[in-house]
Amino acid sequence: MTHTFTTRTLDITTGSRETVHDLTEACAEFLREVAPGRDGLLNVFAPHATTGLAILETGAGSDDDLLAALHDLLPADDRWRHRHGTPGHGRDHVLPAIVPPHATLPVIGGRLELGTWQSVVLVDTNVDNPQRRVRLSFLG
């Protein structure tokens, strides 16, 4: 079997608020185009110092719960040594150590093998940069 590698970037506008942005449909669309009926791996990567990727239930409050938990864990106050931008912005640079900027997911028959309520999300607490890029890469 010949393995192929295909990659594409998504441009995402996250806005001026902390957000959990659902990427699941964009991932599924990418796989429909490049991996119909194939098995492999989808890697999702956010090349930013202040974002992360998570697998999370969305729409039932878990996305807001995640942001609340991150706010409790990483308060937007003046404790951070990294001090440019909006007050408390230093916490945004710690976020990827807790919510990593990458995820690798199984693809079976050209479809993401997620659980019933799982979604792929971009987590962005940096209100100073609303323009994000996410790289999707399929190996299979």
Side-chain angles (χ1 to χ4, degrees), residues 38-109:
R38 295 175 42 212
D39 296 348
L41 295 171
L42 175 68
N43 181 266
V44 186
F45 177 68
H48 298 284
T50 59
T51 63
L53 292 158
I55 308 301
L56 182 75
E57 178 182 4
T58 59
S62 297
D63 34 0
D64 291 332
D65 289 342
L66 174 60
L67 291 175
L70 289 171
H71 199 267
D72 289 346
L73 187 61
L74 303 170
D77 59 22
D78 64 357
R79 74 183 71 202
W80 307 103
R81 290 183 183 99
H82 189 108
R83 294 187 180 258
H84 72 87
T86 302
H89 172 67
R91 76 179 192 120
D92 301 326
H93 288 274
V94 175
L95 173 76
I98 296 167
V99 182
H102 57 87
T104 300
L105 306 163
V107 176
I108 306 297

